[in-house]
Amino acid sequence: MKIKATSFLLVLGIVAACSKAPEAQHTEGAKTFKLEQVVSDQVIPWGMTWLPNGDMLYTDKAGSLKIVNNGELQDEPVAGLPDVTVQGQGGLLDVAAHPNYADNGWIYLSFASSEGEGQGANTAIVRAKLEGNTLVNHETLYKGTPNTRRGQHFGSRLQFDNDNYLFFSIGDRGNRDVNPQDITKDGGKIYRIHDDGRIPGDNPFVNQEGAKKAVYSYGHRNPQGLTLNPSTGQIWEHEHGPQGGDEVNIIEPGKNYGWPVISYGINYNGTTFAEDTQRDGMEQPIKFWVPSIAPSGLACVTSDVYPDWTGDILSGSLKFGYLVRSDVEGNNIVGQEILFENAGRIRNVEQGPDGYIYLGIEGQGIFRIVPE
């Protein structure tokens, strides 16, 4: 694996700033929840997944894939990764095991790749198989084009649905006035493909000339949360707004989610840019945050470990360093609760096969939420 690093000092700065221990407990009514550390690792743990044998895999944005076996972090990271370009917000991003991993052995990765047209990088999706401690049989399933030197908004989460379609996100790559509203261009989109990279015949733009056939929805800024509501089969998403206007959306085929024509946010310098907050033909978020919380990582709670949270969604906050529990009724968010204030920059949120919720916290490692 070759890693091209253009933002090493920035990564070190983030890790150093977030290396304090998180708040250990949260009390809700008569119940107390604590954060139990599973892995101590001063990296940016961007994505995590589990294999049928109980092993956890997690990515370090700087370009390594690591294995936790029986609670112990293995000394050597996985070999045989694709060439990862560490560029601003890009690097080695999400990881997901195929829902039928026990039968087919496929592991999926999203990352910043310099392959293809143009200088810089764009988001790529690959799959490979793990033999021992090495990834083999690499297949590139999708590569965003063109490459760009901009460091913003690579996305990129991976999520399988109930039918084993693979959804993934690519942010607008810092080019908000061109990419998100144009379905002939990559960026600012949610995509859907078969698990082998084929384009589903019922994708919404598959018959539209010039369109990117894998696009499922458009008008997004930088989606860093995708999760499946298994009871409804819906894909839920959250994305970063600018200064204000972070959103939670339910993704529907062919829908336009408005960025940057409509937004509840403003420019970082305090000026306005969006034409409005609502417009016909553009979807409204089911939740938006002002001020921004910088959401990353999204999980739908289905576990009996947390019976009072069943059906709710959990979102990490990079900006404020806490976990947000959104109370879901049907397709609406009717309230929210802040958990584990001052935990640190929560990059990823996943429900493990053991039913516990796991958090990847930058500069600290991986924790799980344990009810007491």
Side-chain angles (χ1 to χ4, degrees):
M1 173 185 65
K2 299 178 181 177
I3 301 174
K4 301 177 182 179
T6 61
S7 57
F8 184 62
L9 292 179
L10 174 62
V11 171
L12 286 182
I14 291 173
V15 169
C18 301
S19 59
K20 64 181 180 179
E23 181 181 289
Q25 292 185 331
H26 170 80
T27 300
E28 177 186 334
K31 295 183 179 179
T32 299
F33 301 86
K34 69 177 182 179
L35 290 183
E36 179 180 270
Q37 190 154 29
V38 177
V39 176
S40 177
D41 199 359
Q42 291 190 350
V43 299
I44 298 179
W46 219 98
M48 66 183 85
T49 194
W50 286 263
L51 304 183
N53 66 359
D55 284 357
M56 173 198 288
L57 301 180
Y58 71 94
T59 59
D60 169 14
K61 176 182 171 289
S64 61
L65 178 63
K66 302 185 179 185
I67 299 179
V68 180
N69 176 260
N70 291 324
E72 297 292 328
L73 177 60
Q74 301 302 288
D75 292 336
E76 295 296 325
V78 173
L81 264 69
D83 291 346
V84 175
T85 299
V86 180
Q87 177 181 309
Q89 297 171 3
L92 183 57
L93 304 174
D94 213 0
V95 59
H98 193 286
N100 296 329
Y101 180 89
D103 297 324
N104 60 41
W106 287 115
I107 292 171
Y108 295 74
L109 294 168
S110 66
F111 63 101
S113 169
S114 63
E115 295 297 320
E117 174 190 352
Q119 296 183 332
N122 211 325
T123 305
I125 312 297
V126 303
R127 70 175 183 174
K129 296 190 176 185
L130 186 63
E131 289 188 359
N133 199 47
T134 302
L135 288 178
V136 299
N137 299 340
H138 291 243
E139 297 180 2
T140 298
L141 305 186
Y142 199 88
K143 171 64 172 59
T145 61
N147 294 331
T148 171
R149 291 178 174 176
R150 298 186 186 207
Q152 310 103 298
H153 305 172
F154 287 84
S156 167
R157 290 294 173 187
L158 304 170
Q159 179 62 55
F160 284 96
D161 73 357
N162 287 331
D163 297 317
N164 291 346
Y165 289 110
L166 177 62
F167 289 77
F168 61 91
S169 62
I170 301 179
D172 68 10
R173 297 297 287 108
N175 195 350
R176 73 181 185 193
D177 295 325
V178 174
N179 291 336
Q181 289 294 316
D182 188 343
I183 60 171
T184 72
K185 299 183 183 300
D186 282 311
K189 315 290 194 305
I190 305 295
Y191 302 76
R192 184 181 75 152
I193 57 177
H194 286 288
D195 59 0
D196 60 1
R198 291 176 296 117
I199 306 299
D202 59 349
N203 266 11
F205 304 111
V206 73
N207 294 318
Q208 188 160 329
E209 185 177 357
K212 297 285 185 178
K213 310 303 185 187
V215 169
Y216 197 74
S217 65
Y218 65 108
H220 300 283
R221 185 172 183 262
N222 190 29
Q224 291 191 338
L226 283 179
T227 193
L228 171 69
N229 182 336
S231 64
T232 65
Q234 295 170 317
I235 298 292
W236 287 53
E237 173 257 17
H238 66 47
E239 61 188 76
H240 292 253
Q243 187 157 305
D246 300 342
E247 296 182 358
V248 178
N249 296 295
I250 298 175
I251 300 304
E252 297 185 38
K255 294 297 180 67
N256 180 355
Y257 289 81
W259 175 258
V261 179
I262 60 173
S263 175
Y264 288 90
I266 58 176
N267 286 316
Y268 293 109
N269 64 7
T271 61
T272 60
F273 66 89
E275 299 177 18
D276 208 341
T277 56
Q278 300 185 42
R279 178 172 286 193
D280 290 343
M282 296 182 177
E283 301 302 302
Q284 281 291 294
I286 63 170
K287 168 70 180 176
F288 65 90
W289 285 283
V290 176
S292 293
I293 68 166
S296 186
L298 183 65
C300 180
V301 182
T302 61
S303 167
D304 293 338
V305 176
Y306 318 94
D308 294 337
W309 297 356
T310 300
D312 293 344
I313 59 171
L314 301 175
S315 311
S317 168
L318 296 170
K319 180 178 180 179
F320 293 115
Y322 53 56
L323 185 68
V324 180
R325 180 178 69 85
S326 295
D327 187 3
V328 175
E329 292 185 3
N331 286 340
N332 297 303
I333 291 176
V334 297
Q336 72 173 34
E337 178 186 21
I338 293 174
L339 313 176
F340 304 109
E341 291 187 84
N342 304 313
R345 285 170 59 88
I346 298 177
R347 173 56 70 179
N348 194 20
V349 185
E350 296 284 352
Q351 182 176 291
D354 57 3
Y356 287 99
I357 299 296
Y358 288 77
L359 309 179
I361 303 180
E362 294 188 2
Q364 300 176 51
I366 296 175
F367 298 76
R368 67 178 181 176
I369 301 175
V370 179
E372 292 187 311

